[in-house]
Amino acid sequence: MEKPDKRNSILTAAEELFSDLGYEGTSTRQIAKEAGANMSMISYYFGSKEGVFLEIMNRRMENFKAELTIIDEYQIPPMEKLFKVIEGYTTKILSNISFHKMMHRELSLAQRPEMYCKLKEAMSGNLNVIEKIIHQGIAEGSFRPVDIRMLIASIMGTITNVATMPSKITEGSILDITIPKDREILTQRLIIHLTDLVNTYLTPKK
């Protein structure tokens, strides 16, 4: 059991460091120290710091894809499926904003082509599941025909905007997204806003 546990310890320590210090600010030496491992273990399991980062991202993407697949298989109306997607994605992103910022930075700057391509590939798989749900709603007539990619970009973009620039929402209030109870309030506000938005936008006009 020692080796798998050590591998997981490395991933756990790395994710915390990446979230706190960013990708560039984190070294393999720091990861090894926090994980109680040695440098050779990181090289053996992951090859490099980039390999550690990609493993963390792949796990996150695969976990979310598994959740999306379960939602898609529910015997419920497409609108309810979409609501569950919004709730799940919003909660995941706002529960670890620092890591989302780092991932968003990697995608926006594309400084590491191999990492960028792998992240995009993993994200496209999740995108396909969401598209399928919306296509189903349109085919059944419960959604009006819309530009699906633009709709998904609006949903995901709004979540990213709140996560990366919360002051646009909290300015003038006492809410602080770094405080857990305030973050929960903002998470629920965002979920309510987005579900109301897609419900209004997708419901066929009479």
Side-chain angles (χ1 to χ4, degrees), residues 14-171:
E15 181 162 355
E16 291 178 359
L17 287 167
F18 285 146
S19 295
D20 293 341
L21 306 176
Y23 181 85
E24 299 292 353
T26 300
S27 68
T28 51
R29 189 174 300 278
Q30 289 171 303
I31 294 171
K33 181 180 178 181
E34 290 298 316
N38 55 54
M39 301 281 284
S40 62
M41 284 185 175
I42 294 177
S43 178
Y44 174 75
Y45 286 125
F46 309 103
S48 63
K49 180 174 74 169
E50 182 173 319
V52 177
F53 181 81
L54 286 172
E55 178 67 17
I56 293 169
M57 291 310 310
N58 284 335
R59 282 190 173 194
R60 283 174 162 263
M61 295 294 184
E62 286 300 317
N63 287 341
F64 189 53
K65 185 176 182 179
E67 291 180 20
L68 286 175
T69 301
I70 291 171
I71 291 172
D72 186 39
E73 292 173 351
Y74 285 156
Q75 299 302 307
I76 56 176
M79 188 70 80
E80 290 185 33
K81 290 182 182 181
L82 197 53
F83 287 171
K84 288 184 177 295
V85 170
I86 289 170
E87 181 179 4
Y89 191 72
T90 301
T91 302
K92 278 184 177 296
I93 296 305
L94 267 64
S95 66
N96 195 338
I97 293 173
S98 297
F99 200 85
H100 179 70
K101 284 182 177 179
M102 185 178 62
M103 184 188 73
H104 185 69
R105 181 176 183 275
E106 289 298 322
L107 289 169
S108 61
L109 297 180
Q111 292 178 324
R112 286 164 278 275
E114 183 180 357
M115 185 184 295
Y116 173 82
C117 290
K118 287 183 177 179
L119 287 176
K120 290 289 286 184
E121 182 180 351
M123 291 181 69
S124 67
N126 292 345
L127 180 67
N128 290 337
V129 180
I130 301 173
E131 283 188 333
K132 180 184 174 184
I133 293 172
I134 300 174
H135 273 299
Q136 179 189 356
I138 294 173
E140 293 177 359
S142 56
F143 293 172
R144 70 185 187 87
V146 297
D147 186 324
I148 296 175
R149 286 292 177 92
M150 282 294 185
L151 173 59
I152 295 174
S154 297
I155 295 170
M156 302 307 184
T158 299
I159 296 171
T160 292
N161 197 275
V162 172
T164 57
M165 292 179 283
S167 61
K168 290 185 175 182
I169 308 300
T170 60
E171 187 177 1

Side-chain angles (χ1 to χ4, degrees), residues 175-187:
L175 294 175
D176 183 346
I177 203 166
T178 64
I179 299 173
K181 64 180 182 64
D182 288 355
R183 184 165 59 248
E184 177 60 25
I185 291 172
L186 289 166
T187 299

